[in-house]
Amino acid sequence: MAPRIVVTRRLPQPALDLLAGAGDVWVSQHDRPLDRDELASAIAGADAVVTLLHDRVDHGFLDAAGPQLKVVANVAVGYDNVDVPALTARGVRFTNTPGVLTDATADIAFSLVLMVTRRLAEGERLLRSRTPWSFNLFFMLGTGIQGKTLGIVGLGQIGAATARRARAFGMAVVYSGRRRADEALERELGARYVTFDELLATADVVSLHCPLSAETRHLIDADRLRQMKPSAFLINTTRGPVVDEAALAEALRTGVIAGAGLDVFEREPMVHEALLPLDNVVLVPHLGSATVETRTAMGVLAVRNALAVVRGDAPPTPVN
Ligand code: GLV
């Protein structure tokens, strides 16, 4: 029997093209997440499901799909929405899309560094509000980053790519994380392994690249923010809940730290009300991987993962 392949969100055309003739294919035509009931009825009887980060993949999902389910392919590198041990226990393969979004996401991380340190969004708002201005030696001064230190929390692929950009801009790099990187990578990045405490105390810009997990939820809270320099900036391009947004808003309002750049939020698509009036935070709507090229590569990789498992082959980028 032809395998049933369910795609829970509209995908870029090259990814859909790969699915042509691959089986009994159902693709959601929505750009929004399916609600619980829609999802349950869409995935019933599926052999493969291609999902996005807002679909909860848990025991309920597995029950709704049924025992023939072989693979769940996430169109994202992060998978805090997925109960991987539950899938493994039921013999379901799980895949994500590492590698293809590394540069796009590091570009956004470093864009946020430049935007917040050089006050670019604030300057844009000033012009668009038709506020009178004139060039003078003290007008809208930002903070230079050359010779300053970037602290990378979690030196995975995206962290390393962000560090490369920092080096090109003349920054020193320190990093913290559960594991020390191999020597060759440290040498290439000129990166020094430090404790999280030391990173917070010394970095001029702290950029978060660790995945969201029970250990990293609210990793940055009021206490951690107080450990940072008052002149320092925080960048978050990983997952919103790694930062306690209410504590961050308060720290930004009271000058505990100098500024922040956020691409992700605790309760997306909501943004904490207390952040919105602040000029020292740059807010962008989860654009890390949002290029035509990257989204196409993510969709294609996810579909290749799903098809490989359905056909009995090894998926290119498995998680379990
Ligand atoms: C997007 O946020 C991803 O995890 O790929």
Side-chain angles (χ1 to χ4, degrees), residues 53 74-80 97 101 105 237-239 264 286 289 295 298:
L53 61 157
N74 213 29
V75 191
V77 67
Y79 49 86
D80 47 283
T97 59
L101 46 73
T105 308
T237 53
T238 176
R239 284 290 183 269
V264 287
H286 205 144
S289 62
R295 289 286 164 79
M298 291 166 72

Side-chain angles (χ1 to χ4, degrees), residues 206-225:
V206 173
S207 190
L208 303 173
H209 299 282
C210 52
L212 172 62
S213 66
E215 292 81 54
T216 62
R217 185 172 294 275
H218 284 194
L219 178 70
I220 301 293
D221 59 10
D223 291 338
R224 293 306 197 182
L225 288 160

Side-chain angles (χ1 to χ4, degrees), residues 40-53:
S41 71
I43 65 178
D47 296 279
V49 185
V50 179
T51 56
L52 234 80
L53 61 157

